[in-house]
């Protein structure tokens, strides 16, 4: 993707043949994408243009030129051009502290939208596999279940294997930074807009509206200090961690077990309905209970941390009961 100050009109994605060059990286080699990843290339290209426009609008032409020069030098260095590493170092040394901060922020903004595009593309690829019943997604639950069945394992033996499996992810205390919740929500919105744009029924005007909303969120993120200036408290760390538990993980876990159950059902038939899935995934947290590294941790902090977790999960259950 190339930063560019040209204007762009948004249309529904139509992938060209896989053998066509995807994009040219300046004076470097052409990078080719497979047909299945062509839509991702188009998303990244469009978002790269947006970031280029944003840099000129929010930071000025000098910032844009510095970022674009660094990008070209980095590409040349990656491809083995001699002397470009030194030129890149010289460019970085010449930046004042405020300029360096904006410079880093510019690349962070770019990589963040690229990460968002990759997340949306994974959903696009998952949907493509679900539509094509003749091909199973590599490493998906259904493919794994069929591999176990073909290896001669009975459904009961698969159940016994699952009983022995336990995955526990633990949130560490004292993260390097705690991103503001407002920014995390805008990042979620960007991914959702990219997913919405995958709808083939959207008109060009609707696609353009989605893209403009993405631009508004990216601009708002740029204008917002990502991290509080003061050191995070235990309760700042707690709220940061709880965002991922309540806004992401809580919504994913039911789908996780449903997908596993569906995969077993495809491989073993209706008998899988009688298999009771064990609890495979658990979560832990050091936040609010790290007695070893935080001398300020007390019984009161631990009690309030657990109480906050309890109140949030009960609130989520309560909302769902109301919907039912």
């Amino acid at each position: 993707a190339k930063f560019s100050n040209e204007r762009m009109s948004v249309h529904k994605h139509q992938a060209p043949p896989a053998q066509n060059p995807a994009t040219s990286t300046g004076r470097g080699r052409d990078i080719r994408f497979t047909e299945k990843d062509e839509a991702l290339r188009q998303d990244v290209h469009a978002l790269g243009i947006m970031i280029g426009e944003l840099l000129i609008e929010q930071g000025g032409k000098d910032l844009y030129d510095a970022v674009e020069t660094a990008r070209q030098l980095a590409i040349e260095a990656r491809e083995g051009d001699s002397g470009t590493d030194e030129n890149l170092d010289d460019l970085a040394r010449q930046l004042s502290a405020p300029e360096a901060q904006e410079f880093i922020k510019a690349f962070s903004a770019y990589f963040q939208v690229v990460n968002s595009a990759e997340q949306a593309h994974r959903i696009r690829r998952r949907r493509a596999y679900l539509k094509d019943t003749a091909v199973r997604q590599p490493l998906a639950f259904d493919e794994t279940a069929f591999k176990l069945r073909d290896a001669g394992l009975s459904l009961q033996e698969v159940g016994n294997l699952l009983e022995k499996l336990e995955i526990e992810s633990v949130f560490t205390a004292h993260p390097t930074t705690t991103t503001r919740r407002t920014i995390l929500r805008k990042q979620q919105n960007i991914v959702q807009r990219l997913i919405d744009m995958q709808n083939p029924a959207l008109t060009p005007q609707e696609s353009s509206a989605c893209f403009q909303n993405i631009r508004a969120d990216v601009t708002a993120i740029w204008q917002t200090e990502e991290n509080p200036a003061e050191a995070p408290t235990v309760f700042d760390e707690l709220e940061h961690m709880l965002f991922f538990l309540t806004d992401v993980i809580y919504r994913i876990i039911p789908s996780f077990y449903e997908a596993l159950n569906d995969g077993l059902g495809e491989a073993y038939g209706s008998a899988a309905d009688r298999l009771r899935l064990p609890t495979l995934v658990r979560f832990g947290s050091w936040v609010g209970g790290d007695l070893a590294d935080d001398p300020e941790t007390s019984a009161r902090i631990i009690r309030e941390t657990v109480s906050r977790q309890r109140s949030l999960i009960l609130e989520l259950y309560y909302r769902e009961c109301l919907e039912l």
Side-chain angles (χ1 to χ4, degrees), residues 18 38 47 53 68-69 90 99 105-106 120-121 172 182 193 202 222 228 244-245 251-252 271 278 300 304:
E38 177 62 24
L47 292 169
E53 295 172 346
E68 180 63 12
T69 299
D90 289 342
E99 289 171 340
K105 188 176 180 180
H121 187 62
T172 60
T182 52
R193 299 291 186 186
L202 287 184
W222 178 274
F244 294 99
L245 276 176
R251 296 189 295 175
I252 289 174
R300 179 187 65 81
E304 291 180 0

Side-chain angles (χ1 to χ4, degrees), residues 2 9 39 45 81 99 125 136 181 184 204-206 222 246 248 260 265:
K2 183 180 186 301
S9 59
H45 179 70
D81 289 359
E99 289 171 340
R125 294 298 306 139
R136 301 189 192 99
R181 184 172 288 231
L184 294 174
Q205 292 80 7
E206 290 170 329
W222 178 274
T246 59
V248 181
L260 176 56

Side-chain angles (χ1 to χ4, degrees), residues 215-242:
R215 171 67 184 268
D217 280 333
V218 172
T219 302
I221 291 172
W222 178 274
Q223 294 176 346
T224 304
E225 286 295 332
E226 183 175 6
N227 312 113
E230 63 278 2
T233 67
V234 171
F235 295 105
D236 291 331
E237 296 173 2
L238 176 63
E239 291 304 310
H240 181 75
M241 181 269 291
L242 287 175

Side-chain angles (χ1 to χ4, degrees), residues 8-150:
M8 185 198 73
S9 59
V10 180
H11 304 284
K12 291 194 287 289
H13 297 312
Q14 294 181 344
Q19 68 270 20
N20 286 352
T23 184
S24 174
T25 55
R27 286 164 283 177
R29 298 186 299 271
D30 283 347
I31 298 175
R32 296 174 182 270
F33 285 73
T34 60
E35 185 175 2
K36 68 182 179 65
D37 292 326
E38 177 62 24
L40 172 61
R41 183 199 70 81
Q42 293 184 11
D43 285 345
V44 171
H45 179 70
L47 292 169
I49 292 173
M50 180 210 300
I51 294 297
E53 295 172 346
L54 176 73
L55 295 184
I56 294 176
E57 175 187 285
Q58 300 292 320
K61 188 68 164 55
D62 289 343
L63 173 62
Y64 170 83
D65 289 341
V67 169
E68 180 63 12
T69 299
R71 190 188 67 83
Q72 290 287 350
L73 289 173
I75 291 171
E76 293 166 9
R78 183 193 66 202
E79 297 184 351
D81 289 359
S82 59
T84 49
D85 280 339
E86 184 176 344
N87 292 336
L88 190 56
D89 289 341
D90 289 342
L91 186 153
R93 291 192 193 98
Q94 293 170 10
L95 297 173
S96 65
E99 289 171 340
Q101 185 176 13
E102 293 287 282
F103 183 82
I104 294 169
K105 188 176 180 180
F107 277 101
S108 296
Y110 173 71
F111 289 126
Q112 181 59 56
V113 296
V114 171
N115 288 343
S116 297
E118 290 179 344
Q119 291 178 47
H121 187 62
R122 286 175 179 169
I123 294 173
R124 179 191 287 119
R125 294 298 306 139
R126 175 61 178 162
R127 287 173 169 172
Y129 278 109
L130 292 174
K131 291 177 181 178
D132 185 0
T133 56
V135 181
R136 301 189 192 99
Q137 184 175 12
L139 304 181
F141 285 134
D142 54 351
E143 189 212 31
T144 303
F146 275 99
K147 282 186 174 181
L148 293 172
R149 188 201 67 179
D150 295 343

Side-chain angles (χ1 to χ4, degrees), residues 263-276:
L264 292 172
E266 290 185 32
Y268 289 94
S270 59
D273 294 336
R274 298 190 294 273
L275 180 66
R276 182 178 177 83

